[in-house]
Amino acid sequence: MARIKVCGITNKKDALKAVRLGAWALGFIFYKKSSRYIAPEIAKKIITVLPKKIISVGVFVNANDKEIRQVVEMCGLKAIQFHGNETPKFCLQFKGMKTIKALRVKTKSDIKKASLYKTDFLLFDTYKKGSFGGTGKSFDWDFLGTQRNILKRSILSGGLNPENITEAVSLVKAYAFDVSSGVEKRPGKKCQRLLKKFFGQANLRGGS
């Protein structure tokens, strides 16, 4: 089965639906400028009812280390996703936590930055000026090529939806796949029908 991370979770109903469908991880966005922002207090209530096997991911954009640590402790997060302009050195501070560095891809040269980061995973998202994700747009997957050292710890993001996830799983040998806007009624509110269709299509040809 393909590993699926459902990001932009804002309520318990969506979280539990994703879990029932087989989600590998759930993403909670703690960036106040995001339309999918969730307060740590609300995220904590959701995370406490999740099965232990689910990886709860806190998504941060250019937050300082103190803020990140406070939210991690409050919510009981299992992973940290750095989705801003964080440096490789900054990302190394959080020992004992799974870490994900998001890289916004516009050209093939953006992929080269991946080697600088020693995080557990690399998430490749689509570049859009002034935006830190949630664009609903895909980048050219050919940019990732067949670099096994990158693909074995990569999470493909950016514009994934029920119509293209089967192709993505087949063509891109990523470790996992990240979806948010592609299964939404509106920002922060998932569509149960689209979620179910996405998981079904993701596993038509097997996963990574």
Side-chain angles (χ1 to χ4, degrees):
M1 290 180 64
R3 299 179 187 88
I4 304 296
K5 173 177 173 281
V6 180
C7 203
I9 293 292
T10 63
N11 61 83
K12 185 166 69 172
K13 181 180 178 181
D14 290 348
L16 294 180
K17 178 66 174 180
V19 169
R20 286 194 294 271
L21 288 170
W24 165 68
L26 299 181
F28 300 85
I29 299 176
F30 300 110
Y31 178 52
K32 290 185 177 181
K33 292 183 179 181
S34 171
S35 56
R36 299 172 182 84
Y37 168 77
I38 185 170
E41 295 81 5
I42 297 174
K44 179 181 179 180
K45 291 179 180 179
I46 298 171
I47 292 169
T48 55
V49 301
L50 298 178
K52 291 184 178 180
K53 66 178 182 178
I54 300 297
I55 299 175
S56 52
V57 183
V59 181
F60 299 89
V61 177
N62 299 328
N64 62 54
D65 61 334
K66 182 179 179 181
E67 177 187 348
I68 293 173
R69 293 180 195 281
Q70 286 177 338
V71 176
V72 166
E73 184 174 352
M74 175 188 288
C75 298
L77 296 169
K78 294 181 180 178
I80 303 168
Q81 180 173 316
F82 306 103
H83 214 98
N85 302 314
E86 300 87 2
T87 65
K89 183 178 180 180
F90 181 86
C91 296
L92 289 175
Q93 298 181 74
F94 304 88
K95 297 187 184 301
M97 291 287 297
K98 289 189 180 297
T99 53
I100 303 167
K101 178 65 183 93
L103 296 170
R104 296 183 294 159
V105 181
K106 184 177 182 180
T107 67
K108 193 171 183 178
S109 62
D110 293 319
I111 304 296
K112 295 179 180 178
K113 300 174 186 176
S115 62
L116 300 175
Y117 289 90
K118 307 305 178 186
T119 49
D120 294 288
F121 302 104
L122 297 162
L123 183 145
F124 295 98
D125 199 0
T126 305
Y127 174 88
K128 182 180 179 182
K129 187 176 181 180
S131 174
F132 288 100
T135 66
K137 303 292 184 182
S138 300
F139 63 90
D140 188 340
W141 299 333
D142 286 340
F143 290 165
L144 291 171
T146 57
Q147 303 176 64
R148 289 190 60 81
N149 62 322
I150 291 178
L151 290 174
K152 69 181 181 181
R153 62 187 183 108
S154 70
I155 301 172
L156 182 64
S157 184
L160 294 180
N161 58 58
E163 307 307 318
N164 65 14
I165 184 59
T166 304
E167 182 182 13
V169 171
S170 177
L171 295 179
V172 184
K173 305 305 179 185
Y175 183 84
F177 300 82
D178 180 287
V179 66
S180 183
S181 62
V183 292
E184 289 183 330
K185 294 179 180 178
R186 60 182 183 276
K189 178 59 180 175
K190 307 308 182 194
C191 171
Q192 306 295 301
R193 178 183 61 82
L194 289 177
L195 265 176
K196 185 176 181 179
K197 186 176 180 182
F198 185 88
F199 276 85
Q201 293 295 111
N203 292 302
L204 279 181
R205 300 180 187 176
S208 50

